[in-house]
Amino acid sequence: MILLAIIGGIGFTFLVAFSTKPPMEAIQQAQSGLSYAREVEAEKYAPRMMVSAERSWQLAMNEWKYQNERLIFVRNYEKLKTLAGTTNEQASLASEKALHIKDSLQSGLSNKLKTVGHKIDHFQVNYAHLPLNGTARQNYSNARLRYLESKQAYERGDYKQVGLNLDVASQLITKSVSEAHGFLSGYFKDLPKWRRWADETIAWSKNKKAAVIIVDKFAHRCYVYHGGKLKREFDAELGPNWIGTKLYRGDKATPEGKYHVTKKKARRETKYYKALLINYPNDDDKTRYDTNVKNGTIAKRGIGNLIEIHGDGGKGINWTDGCVALTNDDMDKLYEMVSVGTPVTIVGSLRSLKELNGF
Amino acid sequence: MLTLASLFALAILFTSCAKPPEVEIANAKAAVEAAKAAEADRYSPAEYKALNDSLNVAMTEIENQKSKFALFRSYKNVTSKLNDVVVISETVKENAGIRKEEVKDEAQQMLAEATTMVSEVNDLIAKAPKGKEGKEALEAIKNDLALVEATLAEVSTLIENGDYLTALDKVKAATEKGNSLKSELQEVIAKTKRPI
């Protein structure tokens, strides 16, 4: 009896000592793998892979529990080991993918932030100050706000938030630039004509050995040539709606065309220090006005008159009713250089749009 | 007789073996859930992750003990770990709360400052000359200011909804834009007031 008990005890001890042990190394590796995957935000950047890894881990734990409920002598942890290994592999892949996506997202967003930032700066420099039609400025302002928000989210590493705002900012600024560029491209179709007018005016100056005035509206410059050579140039301010020629009374646009000085106004004859009255509207202006009224493009409200080059400028903004304003010092100089009959050619621009803003 | 005695002794040993600390497990799980509910994962992510890891390690250790022969099981260490999870979770919750309050305060303070700035810009618009000199520029500034005001309204809603991080991003952007409008406006006023 005693012998039987001893044998039984030894047999039991032997079985316990040599019973299967759970694969702790594989389990710990799986657990570390999952922990690292969570650290690198695999749930966010590689969600499907992470779900697979989590599912495998859950299956492993269920299997472990199932085996633990069995008698110690019959437990088998092979399936648990396989599942733990699978978990670790899937977690590693999820981490790898998350890191890759995060890196490329970070670098992609960084580049996109730069691109959108450049577009916003480009608009700011080249278009924001222009009297644009439509929603270009509003879209630009909205884009800038979204861009600034994106920058904040980027700095705190919330790349998903960056993406959302940046996409909207990119669309808005692209739309603004495209709208502004389209508007200017239409306007610059007259560039060859403007250049021809300027060339003809300079040639006249050379032939007659006389002074001429050329106003480049886009450059906001007023040039004085004599004998075909540039003698002086001044800063010029225009009407607020200076892009496009003058069409009718009160449109606050500065006309474009070939004119001449019809009257020199001294200090007591004008409220703008000194002035050179020009013959706006000329025949071309009148024809255009009549055509526009006839085809209904504009109402019959008068073509306007009293366009001058005058003083009181230097405000740094376009504020006149369509005249060209110089500082009083510059007006003094110009006034001395010209006389009644001096040609005054006003053009949209002498430089192409590409020369001006790179597009 | 002896065999019967041995079997009886074994039965005693089996029935008196250690049991998993079910109460501590439930408490630790609830503590981690509570930390998440306090948005520790958002406002104190590293600490929250460490807390979660501690719970997971403890849960694995429980299964490991269950894998042992009943006589050799011990839940003493794991119970201590689970209790630690509960204690640490309080710190994590507290830190997340502090960080959340900091972000909330910052967002609210910046919102108040930005609201004041909007009033200042409106005052400057009112003071600006109404003549033709500044009219066009003022119109553009007014439109932009309306955008800033709309953004500040969004910030208020975000703060009310408890999304302080997004609110902070927006209010910072609105402040920057508002400041640029203020400068632009001051420039316009200075230009139009320039002596001739």
Side-chain angles (χ1 to χ4, degrees), chain B residues 134-176:
Chain B
K135 198 182 163 199
E136 303 298 322
L138 281 178
E139 279 307 309
I141 288 171
K142 277 183 191 172
N143 288 336
D144 285 359
L145 190 64
L147 270 177
V148 172
E149 285 176 307
T151 306
L152 293 184
E154 280 179 52
V155 170
S156 276
T157 309
L158 285 166
I159 290 175
E160 276 169 28
N161 294 341
D163 189 354
Y164 306 125
L165 288 169
T166 313
L168 195 57
D169 287 347
K170 272 195 188 292
V171 75
K172 280 181 179 173
T175 301
E176 200 173 326

Side-chain angles (χ1 to χ4, degrees), chain B residues 13-169:
Chain B
L13 285 169
F14 271 116
T15 49
S16 63
C17 64
K19 295 267 188 310
E22 297 297 346
V23 175
E24 283 81 0
I25 292 170
N27 288 345
K29 282 182 175 172
V32 172
E33 279 304 311
K36 189 169 185 184
E39 292 187 281
D41 56 336
R42 214 169 164 213
Y43 290 94
S44 201
E47 279 184 301
Y48 175 74
K49 190 195 159 286
L51 184 73
N52 221 355
D53 281 352
S54 300
L55 176 65
N56 290 335
V57 167
M59 295 309 292
T60 310
E61 181 54 27
I62 287 165
E63 281 312 311
N64 188 29
Q65 290 302 322
K66 282 184 186 171
S67 297
K68 292 178 182 172
F69 181 61
L71 275 177
F72 306 130
R73 287 176 195 168
S74 167
Y75 292 104
K76 202 179 163 189
N77 280 343
V78 84
T79 304
S80 168
K81 279 180 188 169
L82 289 166
N83 287 334
D84 285 350
V85 167
V86 175
V87 173
I88 294 166
S89 79
E90 287 304 315
T91 312
V92 174
K93 261 197 310 186
E94 199 180 321
N95 289 345
I98 290 169
R99 177 70 192 130
K100 198 173 170 181
E101 276 304 303
E102 281 173 359
V103 176
K104 180 186 174 184
D105 288 349
E106 196 182 350
Q108 280 178 329
Q109 196 184 330
M110 285 199 79
L111 177 62
E113 286 169 5
T115 307
T116 308
M117 184 193 58
V118 167
S119 299
E120 285 170 6
V121 174
N122 272 322
D123 288 348
L124 286 170
I125 288 172
K127 283 178 198 164
K130 297 288 180 291
K132 63 184 179 182
E133 287 89 346
K135 198 182 163 199
E136 303 298 322
L138 281 178
E139 279 307 309
I141 288 171
K142 277 183 191 172
N143 288 336
D144 285 359
L145 190 64
L147 270 177
V148 172
E149 285 176 307
T151 306
L152 293 184
E154 280 179 52
V155 170
S156 276
T157 309
L158 285 166
I159 290 175
E160 276 169 28
N161 294 341
D163 189 354
Y164 306 125
L165 288 169
T166 313
L168 195 57
D169 287 347

